[in-house]
Amino acid sequence: MRYLTISLALFLVLPACSKKADPADAVRALIKQCEEHANNGDHAGLTAALAADYRDAEGRDRDAVAKRAGRHLKRHSKRFVHARPLSINVSGETAQAAVIVALAGKRIGPKDDLLKVSADLIKLKLKLRNKDGAGWLVVSALW
């Protein structure tokens, strides 16, 4: 009985002592999901990462960026995307992330040096929002 009481106490107390989830990890997860959607040709998955009120510096809205991504996925069936976050800064419900994206005609391994691979490199500056804890969405991008 004593062991049962101790086990129950630990079960109730330990979660309260656990580290709170890092919001930057959730942003990293979204970036990884977008990489996987791009590699799988999943246009809907990529579009789902964009906020309804997305707007970039060039004036493109969510629909325009989604169409552009769709055209790219159709045109480049043999494409491999590797995204590597350079920095992620979270402040409340907003975040900014700098991401280097490599677009290549062959698979890029996680340990490959991006400078040694023949690929187009794009640096993205993302602004994200996690409104009411509903999940991170991209509200703007600069490339």
Side-chain angles (χ1 to χ4, degrees):
M1 184 66 163
R2 187 174 91 188
Y3 294 114
L4 179 61
T5 306
I6 292 171
S7 297
L8 182 59
L10 287 174
F11 178 75
L12 294 172
V13 172
L14 285 179
C17 297
S18 66
K19 185 179 171 186
K20 188 176 178 182
D22 182 5
D25 287 341
V27 173
R28 276 186 205 85
L30 177 68
I31 293 167
K32 183 68 177 169
Q33 288 171 351
C34 288
E35 174 187 302
E36 291 170 4
H37 292 313
N39 284 326
N40 294 327
D42 182 1
H43 180 253
L46 283 172
T47 303
L50 301 175
D53 59 344
Y54 175 94
R55 177 83 53 195
D56 65 25
E58 301 295 321
R60 290 180 287 254
D61 63 6
R62 182 180 197 260
D63 291 338
V65 170
K67 286 177 186 173
R68 185 174 182 170
R71 285 192 306 269
H72 181 82
L73 291 174
K74 285 180 185 173
R75 226 181 295 139
H76 302 283
S77 60
K78 288 231 174 204
R79 103 211 63 64
F80 295 98
V81 177
H82 182 73
R84 185 175 293 169
L86 300 174
S87 66
I88 298 173
N89 299 306
V90 178
S91 178
E93 290 187 344
T94 63
Q96 293 186 8
V99 182
I100 192 83
V101 178
L103 304 170
K106 68 174 192 165
R107 189 162 302 283
I108 301 169
K111 296 187 184 217
D112 289 342
D113 184 351
L114 292 180
L115 297 176
K116 295 178 183 175
V117 175
S118 178
D120 292 329
L121 297 178
I122 302 167
K123 184 175 181 182
L124 293 175
K125 292 183 180 182
L126 305 176
K127 291 184 181 179
L128 304 100
R129 179 180 59 233
N130 185 1
K131 189 171 183 180
D132 301 324
W136 291 101
L137 294 173
V138 178
V139 294
S140 182
L142 180 65
W143 64 88

